[in-house]
Amino acid sequence: MADQSDEEDLALILMAPSFVRIFYRRSLLDADTAWLSSHNYEVFTFDATRWDSEEAFHQDIAPALDFPDYYGANVPAFGDSLRNAVADGYIFRPDAAGVVIVMTGYDSFVKVDAQLAWEIIEELAQRARAAMLCGNRLLCLLQSDDPDISFPPVGATAVTWDNAEWFQHDRTRST
């Protein structure tokens, strides 16, 4: 779990370097998502190991995020639907502090299509920035079983490891 006192906002700590963060240890991810849930964040969790194609990704995410029936099931449509969801606030519960999209086993999806996996988190990063400008919080947390996974920058910022796993040796030691 990211280091913070009870008064500090974990979501802001996670978002400060990037709206997309990577976790290796599920225990750290689970602790942070539990904190976020307990602080009124709406958390959507997806198992990326099930995504063996772009179609599988869209079939999983569209109904969970309540995308419209006319959703185009491609990356530009994903970005458009996220933009509309942020602008209209429809994926945000009225009382929610923000929305967290968690994708576990993301390294498996990267093996299926690395470019697509990057394009998806690029869209999430861009929409998260827009959400923040509209007064909403959108955060993407990735879990990877590959402690060496890395991504090119998204949303003009680097995709960074969780603070507790910033150093590679922290991802490879036993918990």
Side-chain angles (χ1 to χ4, degrees):
M1 182 155 135
D3 294 331
Q4 88 275 345
S5 70
D6 288 339
E7 307 85 49
E8 290 180 308
D9 186 335
L10 175 61
L12 290 179
I13 292 169
L14 290 169
M15 284 189 261
S18 175
F19 293 108
V20 180
R21 297 298 295 265
I22 311 170
F23 291 76
Y24 175 69
R25 287 182 275 163
R26 287 182 191 242
S27 60
L28 291 173
L29 175 65
D30 292 345
D32 283 0
T33 55
W35 187 96
L36 291 162
S37 291
S38 73
H39 286 79
N40 213 24
Y41 282 80
E42 192 163 5
V43 178
F44 295 90
T45 302
F46 301 94
D47 179 0
T49 64
R50 299 181 356 196
W51 301 337
D52 57 3
S53 66
E54 181 175 2
E55 181 181 358
F57 164 77
H58 294 290
Q59 287 176 343
D60 198 18
I61 207 153
L65 297 181
D66 198 26
F67 286 171
D69 292 339
Y70 57 84
Y71 175 63
N74 56 54
V75 173
F78 175 67
D80 289 346
S81 293
L82 278 176
R83 182 186 63 239
N84 294 339
V86 166
D88 299 341
Y90 73 79
I91 64 170
F92 294 90
R93 284 189 334 257
D95 64 330
V99 170
V100 181
I101 296 177
V102 178
M103 294 184 272
T104 61
Y106 205 69
D107 55 302
S108 295
F109 188 49
V110 169
K111 290 175 188 170
V112 170
D113 191 333
Q115 180 63 31
L116 175 62
W118 177 83
E119 289 172 4
I120 288 167
I121 61 174
E122 168 70 9
E123 287 293 340
L124 282 160
Q126 289 181 20
R127 300 310 154 215
R129 171 176 258 143
M132 189 66 87
L133 293 172
C134 295
N136 296 319
R137 293 181 178 181
L138 175 63
L139 177 62
C140 177
L141 304 179
L142 305 176
Q143 186 278 324
S144 171
D145 292 324
D146 176 358
D148 297 316
I149 198 168
S150 64
F151 296 95
V154 295
T157 60
V159 177
T160 61
W161 283 95
D162 175 63
N163 292 351
E165 297 181 317
W166 183 262
F167 296 107
Q168 205 276 338
H169 73 271
D170 291 329
R171 297 189 298 271
T172 56
R173 66 185 167 101
S174 60
T175 55

